[in-house]
Amino acid sequence: SAGGGLVTATVTGAGEVTAVKIDPKAVDPDDVESLEDLVIAAVRDGQRQAAALGESAMAPVTGGLGGLGLPGF
């Protein structure tokens, strides 16, 4: 979400945006750029949260791979 909840994006674990909700208070015909910025910020926040959730869900599985000497683990 962005703008104190004025714009909210729903993102799947794969990073796909499935919904965007815009509070009517965020709509100002004289300032469309601010609304565009809020939408981008909400989508990025949703993607960040989805990635963090995926990492935390995989931590028990990947946590023991760090000692194998494999790059990227």
Side-chain angles (χ1 to χ4, degrees):
S1 69
L6 291 176
V7 178
T8 303
T10 303
V11 181
T12 68
E16 178 184 351
V17 178
T18 59
V20 174
K21 296 193 182 218
I22 300 172
D23 187 306
K25 295 176 196 168
V27 180
D28 180 354
D30 296 324
D31 189 14
V32 174
E33 188 174 327
S34 288
L35 178 56
E36 293 169 342
D37 291 343
L38 288 173
V39 170
I40 294 298
V43 169
R44 286 182 179 157
D45 182 56
Q47 290 173 329
R48 182 191 55 75
Q49 288 184 35
L53 183 60
E55 288 174 13
S56 68
M58 291 300 294
V61 175
T62 61
L65 297 177
L68 296 178
L70 299 173
F73 288 101

